[in-house]
Amino acid sequence: MAELLEAGGLRLVEVAPPVVPAEARTAMDREWDTAVLANPALFDGPVAVCAGLSRESPDTLLVSWSRATYRYFALRRVPGATVLRSLFVSIVQPTEDGRVLVGRMSSSTAAPGRWQFPGGSVEPPPGDEPLDEHALRRHAAVELAEETGVDLPAADLTRCLVTHGEDGQIGVHYLAPPLPAPLLHERFEALVAAETARGRAPEFDRIALVGSPAELPDLAGPHVVYLEPVVRWTSRRVRS
């Protein structure tokens, strides 16, 4: 399960990168190389990890984050290793009748077959650009377009929740404006066709529209820990 947090403000502060002892780093590199052999689509690009989450004030959440690369998460498979939590964004895309879009990760991704909202790990901004709410919102808009074909201005996304999963992941969730269900299917089908024509696999191999947590068991395969509580929350808020 995941804890749902609501706040009017969100502040992000960069802290020193995580220290990985030499022995753990060797094991991490070995696990990463094994993962790449199994899935050559994996890449060791920059990623932000969460070093802490707290309430700075009754209405403001403070997220401390550090720079790492995706290789760092291979530490999860190293016994006894300490790993900072993932920091990700996701987008709740509702339909006009109150359902929400979820997608199943394709075989080319790091989590094949897993159902989740559109979204992905947060990447550090280039140069001296700050990682702030504007950057998170822009990243969320890019993820929505890349995974579903729905291209919206970042300004149209409204932060609705922050989740703290029992697995330690921190998610910043944005609510998109409602769109007609046929349009969502049309955009996704066009995206799949375009990616296939380029010889690439889409990140989602299937989408579904769900109206309540009672419909989630119909989605065969693993679900991210935040899916059920966020669907429950949105089923009440989006339809109200």
Side-chain angles (χ1 to χ4, degrees):
M1 294 295 290
E3 179 185 10
L4 306 187
L5 304 172
E6 298 184 53
L10 179 67
R11 194 164 74 89
L12 296 103
V13 176
E14 184 174 3
V15 297
V19 176
V20 181
E23 185 176 346
R25 180 172 293 278
T26 298
M28 175 186 74
D29 290 341
R30 182 170 58 248
E31 291 291 342
W32 174 258
D33 292 343
T34 299
V36 171
L37 282 174
N39 183 359
L42 297 178
F43 69 102
D44 194 22
V47 68
V49 293
C50 182
L53 173 69
S54 62
R55 281 206 178 267
E56 189 172 42
S57 71
D59 198 40
T60 302
L61 291 171
L62 175 64
V63 175
S64 303
W65 68 277
S66 300
R67 296 174 189 265
T69 69
Y70 282 94
R71 174 187 303 265
Y72 175 78
F73 293 130
L75 278 174
R76 293 167 176 165
R77 296 188 292 276
V78 177
T82 300
V83 189
L84 295 185
R85 296 165 282 185
S86 300
L87 177 62
F88 68 93
V89 293
S90 86
I91 306 90
V92 178
Q93 175 60 70
T95 62
E96 292 177 329
D97 61 5
R99 293 176 291 167
V100 292
L101 183 152
V102 296
R104 187 175 68 181
M105 300 294 283
S106 71
S107 59
S108 65
T109 65
R114 187 180 70 188
W115 287 93
Q116 62 181 63
F117 287 110
S121 298
V122 173
E123 298 178 1
D128 295 328
E129 292 183 26
L131 181 60
D132 55 17
E133 277 265 41
H134 297 294
L136 291 184
R137 195 178 290 110
R138 288 195 302 269
H139 184 54
V142 169
E143 293 284 352
L144 182 64
E146 289 181 347
E147 295 182 351
T148 70
V150 176
D151 193 359
L152 294 175
D156 287 357
L157 303 179
T158 303
R159 178 169 47 81
C160 57
L161 286 172
V162 174
T163 56
H164 180 195
E166 60 186 13
D167 56 358
Q169 292 195 77
I170 303 299
V172 183
H173 305 265
Y174 290 90
L175 182 64
L179 293 173
L183 178 62
L184 295 178
H185 285 293
E186 177 185 310
R187 295 282 176 84
F188 180 68
E189 290 166 5
L191 172 68
V192 171
E195 291 292 275
T196 302
R198 296 187 184 102
R200 301 197 300 241
E203 291 190 58
F204 286 160
D205 62 11
R206 179 184 167 193
I207 62 169
L209 302 175
V210 296
S212 75
E215 299 174 26
L216 292 177
D218 295 333
L219 304 177
H223 300 177
V224 288
V225 295
Y226 65 83
L227 190 62
E228 191 276 340
V230 174
V231 167
R232 186 178 301 280
W233 184 90
T234 55
S235 67
R236 295 195 302 264
R237 297 299 182 94
V238 171
R239 292 186 176 190
S240 62

